Amino acid sequence: MPFDKAYYDRYYRDPDTRAMSPAAAKRQAAFISAYLRYLNVPVTSILDLGCGLGTILRALGRARPRARCHGVEFSDYLCRRYGWERGSVVDYQSPREWDLVICNDVLTYLDSPDCGRAIDNLARLTRGAAFLGILTADDEGLYDPHRTDPNQHLRPAAWYRQRLGRHFVSVGGGLWIRKPPSVTLWSLERLD
């Protein structure tokens, strides 16, 4: 699939067909920052794999002005337009672990073997927490098909939970804390 200007115009820029508004992306970033602050997870570095237009990454950078922010994107078009580093969640390598890794609406574009490798790679890159936005087969009827790219692999949520659970503890809202957690999580805060 070409992740070109037409794709981003439709699913990101056009108010009639975009999957998420810029205001919703900013609320999402505010939630991520506030919840990690509440959980006492330090965030001094943020990596966004599949950063798209960079709305969430920039909003997180404003919420955490001392954090080092880095965007990685598969789309040649977006790398040229915004200056992101070219790379894939499947095999992106970094000399460091990141306090917070964002991977929003990316994993569903990968076939199952690549998605499994991407999850393992996310674990290697993550020191503290990961935010993962993942549309699953269990979400049927919850999303607008006119605002959702049909060229995705919709796997059951259990498929992701099994693989992510090897490395992370789910704390809700799309946030996953690295195992073993460095913070105390009450039983009902964990979504095991």
Side-chain angles (χ1 to χ4, degrees):
M1 153 167 285
F3 293 104
D4 57 9
K5 183 179 184 309
Y7 172 88
Y8 289 97
D9 285 347
R10 175 174 179 176
Y11 293 111
Y12 287 79
R13 294 185 181 112
D14 187 332
D16 294 329
T17 58
R18 66 183 172 212
M20 179 185 276
S21 72
K26 289 174 187 173
R27 282 194 313 274
Q28 191 173 60
F31 163 76
I32 293 165
S33 181
Y35 194 26
L36 291 177
R37 192 169 277 123
Y38 166 76
L39 291 174
N40 203 28
V41 175
V43 178
T44 59
S45 61
I46 302 168
L47 173 66
D48 192 339
L49 291 165
C51 58
L53 305 182
T55 308
I56 293 173
L57 182 61
R58 283 191 291 278
L60 282 167
R62 284 189 294 278
R64 304 285 184 131
R66 294 190 173 145
R68 176 179 179 228
C69 297
H70 187 69
V72 175
E73 177 54 54
F74 186 76
S75 165
D76 288 328
Y77 161 70
L78 290 181
C79 290
R80 283 191 310 275
R81 172 119 191 227
Y82 295 103
W84 308 130
E85 181 180 358
R86 175 79 161 77
S88 167
V89 65
V90 175
D91 56 10
Y92 178 75
Q93 294 183 9
S94 174
R96 63 182 300 180
E97 291 180 322
W98 298 77
D99 294 328
L100 172 60
V101 176
I102 307 294
C103 188
N104 196 23
D105 295 331
V106 173
L107 296 177
T108 57
Y109 283 96
L110 304 172
D111 63 25
S112 292
D114 277 348
C115 189
R117 284 189 285 279
I119 289 170
D120 291 341
N121 196 38
L122 284 166
R124 278 189 292 278
L125 294 167
T126 304
R127 177 177 29 240
F131 174 79
L132 308 172
I134 306 169
L135 182 65
T136 73
D138 299 23
D139 297 315
E140 183 75 32
L142 297 177
Y143 59 88
D144 183 344
H146 301 291
R147 292 175 179 264
T148 305
D149 184 358
N151 297 311
Q152 298 182 65
H153 302 276
L154 297 183
R155 291 176 277 271
W159 188 95
Y160 289 101
R161 283 191 191 104
Q162 177 192 23
R163 284 152 183 83
L164 289 165
R166 295 174 190 154
H167 311 287
F168 299 97
V169 175
S170 175
V171 293
L175 279 167
W176 297 76
I177 303 296
R178 197 73 173 96
K179 280 185 174 179
S182 60
V183 297
T184 301
L185 297 171
W186 303 122
S187 295
L188 291 178
E189 290 175 323
R190 297 186 308 267
L191 303 176
D192 303 329

